[in-house]
Amino acid sequence: AGALRNLSINDDNKVAIVQEGGLPPLIALLGNGTPVAEEEAVGALWNLSINKENQVAIVKAGGLKALITMVCSGTPLAKEEAAGVIKKLSIHPEIQVAIAKEGGLAPLISLLASGTPEAKEEAAGALANLSFNDDNEVAIAKAGGIVPLIALLTSGTPVAKREAAATLKHIAVNDHNKVAIAKAGGLAPLIALLRGGTSAAKEEAAGTLANLSVNDENEVKIIQAGGLPPLLALLSSGTPVAKEEAAAAIKNLAINADNKVAIAKAGGLKPLIALLRAGTPHAQEEVAGALANLSVDHDNEVAIVQAGGLAPLIALLNGGTLEAQEEAAAAMANLANIDENKIAIAKAGGLLPLIALQRSGTPQAQEAAVRALKALALSYDIKRQLIQLGCPQTILMQRIAANVLMQRG
């Protein structure tokens, strides 16, 4: 087993060992060999599992059950390496299901608390992969995974913190888990990770908060726990992915009326608008959605325009993704409720893109564009401009319901 472990470092040998029938005897040693033999065998499997074809072959050869046994009862090193093999195997959707069916979740969760620092990294990484599966999102929580994952956010190595945050991000898609993670004290360490984690950990923590914030109570709790300043900071200083995740979190938080005010008071409009101009297409979608939600507030309607938000929103009406067009049109519909903004939108060249969008956008974009045009047409001068630009009379003749503003979920 030791010889095969050494030989399997070589890429060609990884293929040859499997082709020559090396997997069954290695797997047979797990749970049946001496502690040293088990370590060597699982180490060989760790090397072999770097090859993607071998990952499937290990499962077909019956390796899952033996690897799970090692996670439960092996030496500290064997547990670490077995968890590492499972992490590699779990990138395959069908194997994610198989690992859970073989009872692999509970021992991995146990390793989060009792393993070596490296074993905790591997176990958390395996759970991060496994949590891509919808059923596993629920099963990990039911198996008691939330508490040790939260503990790793504080006590783990940088890698373990990142992997734990990634797992929490995935399982936080589930509505019940959103509540459970907050109740278990997950918000404070996630927010701390936004401030002091690695760049990759900040991405995962921001993504977790974005998912958790799709919950009315969590919208409030995240702000109360001090989550707003580090999220706003990420809009400027984070990686592109971190900026996207932070913007998504702020979009969700801005559904709450008090949070709309808090985000603006904390200086959130300036970095949001800057990201609207220069962010990735996905970041622009999230920011436009955030501005749509923030603009369901009179003071913010004024402040967004004063902060320079019109030009990049109008640019998205023309050149953004379909979702960005929908979000930008929703924001424009809200901003157009103020008389001063009506004039500003017309001067900034917003009329023609809105007319075009109500003809050719997605149904949601068309609805928002029509609402914006109706609001703008309440100004006599702008109504005349809209007629000259070819805006359909059927839109201009319809009345808009008073004070009906659009929020984006």
Side-chain angles (χ1 to χ4, degrees):
L4 288 174
R5 178 176 188 162
N6 293 334
L7 288 169
S8 61
I9 295 171
N10 178 275
D11 289 341
D12 291 335
N13 289 344
K14 286 178 174 60
V15 177
I17 289 169
V18 174
Q19 290 178 340
E20 293 295 328
L23 286 180
L26 286 170
I27 292 168
L29 277 178
L30 305 184
N32 297 301
T34 66
V36 173
E38 289 176 342
E39 289 177 354
E40 297 291 6
V42 77
L45 291 170
W46 194 97
N47 290 338
L48 293 170
S49 65
I50 294 172
N51 179 290
K52 288 188 176 180
E53 292 183 1
N54 288 351
Q55 292 165 4
V56 177
I58 290 168
V59 175
K60 287 183 177 179
L64 271 186
K65 188 173 182 179
L67 287 165
I68 292 168
T69 297
M70 282 294 92
V71 174
C72 294
S73 61
T75 66
L77 178 59
K79 289 180 178 181
E80 172 192 327
E81 292 182 325
V85 179
I86 291 172
K87 180 178 75 172
K88 292 180 177 63
L89 301 181
S90 62
I91 65 172
H92 300 271
E94 67 278 8
I95 298 177
Q96 291 167 5
V97 176
I99 291 168
K101 285 185 177 179
E102 288 284 355
L105 297 182
L108 287 168
I109 290 167
S110 178
L111 203 57
L112 294 178
S114 63
T116 65
E118 294 77 12
K120 292 177 181 180
E121 292 175 356
E122 300 292 358
L127 290 168
N129 291 340
L130 291 165
S131 61
F132 275 105
N133 176 278
D134 292 345
D135 291 336
N136 288 347
E137 286 174 10
V138 177
I140 289 168
K142 285 186 176 179
I146 288 176
V147 170
L149 285 166
I150 291 172
L152 271 191
L153 297 176
T154 303
S155 64
T157 66
V159 171
K161 290 177 180 180
R162 181 196 70 213
E163 299 286 21
T167 308
L168 290 168
K169 178 179 73 174
H170 299 156
I171 69 173
V173 173
N174 177 275
D175 289 340
H176 293 295
N177 291 347
K178 295 183 204 302
V179 176
I181 291 167
K183 284 186 176 179
L187 297 182
L190 284 166
I191 291 166
L193 206 56
L194 291 180
R195 296 190 180 97
T198 63
S199 296
K202 289 178 181 180
E203 293 174 358
E204 302 295 354
T208 307
L209 291 170
N211 289 341
L212 290 170
S213 61
V214 187
N215 173 280
D216 292 345
E217 291 185 4
N218 287 348
E219 287 172 8
V220 177
K221 290 178 179 178
I222 289 169
I223 298 292
Q224 290 175 341
L228 185 54
L231 283 170
L232 292 177
L234 277 188
L235 295 177
S236 301
S237 64
T239 66
V241 172
K243 290 176 180 179
E244 293 170 356
E245 300 285 21
I250 291 167
K251 178 183 78 172
N252 297 336
L253 294 172
I255 291 174
N256 177 277
D258 292 334
N259 291 352
K260 298 181 202 302
V261 178
I263 291 166
K265 283 187 176 179
L269 296 182
K270 183 177 178 181
L272 283 168
I273 292 168
L275 193 57
L276 193 63
R277 293 192 184 98
T280 65
H282 182 55
Q284 290 176 326
E285 294 170 358
E286 301 294 357
V287 172
L291 292 175
N293 290 341
L294 288 167
S295 60
V296 186
D297 175 271
H298 177 77
D299 291 340
N300 286 348
E301 288 173 349
V302 175
I304 288 168
V305 174
Q306 290 178 343
L310 276 184
L313 283 169
I314 291 169
L316 282 188
L317 296 176
N318 285 315
T321 65
L322 294 179
E323 185 175 340
Q325 290 176 348
E326 293 171 357
E327 303 284 17
M332 296 291 286
N334 294 339
L335 296 173
N337 282 284
I338 296 180
D339 289 342
E340 310 92 88
N341 287 355
K342 290 177 173 59
I343 298 169
I345 290 168
K347 285 185 176 179
L351 302 184
L352 201 55
L354 285 167
I355 292 170
L357 198 60
Q358 64 83 28
R359 292 194 181 106
S360 61
T362 67
Q364 282 185 303
Q366 289 178 336
E367 179 186 358
V370 167
R371 182 167 290 280
L373 290 167
K374 288 179 181 179
L376 289 163
L378 295 177
S379 163
Y380 178 74
D381 289 339
I382 294 176
K383 184 174 182 178
R384 289 180 59 189
Q385 294 179 54
L386 289 170
I387 292 171
Q388 292 172 353
L389 292 170
C391 185
Q393 287 285 346
T394 53
I395 292 175
L396 300 178
M397 295 300 292
Q398 295 175 27
R399 290 188 176 274
I400 183 171
N403 299 320
V404 177
L405 300 176
M406 303 182 70
Q407 289 208 122
R408 308 297 290 173

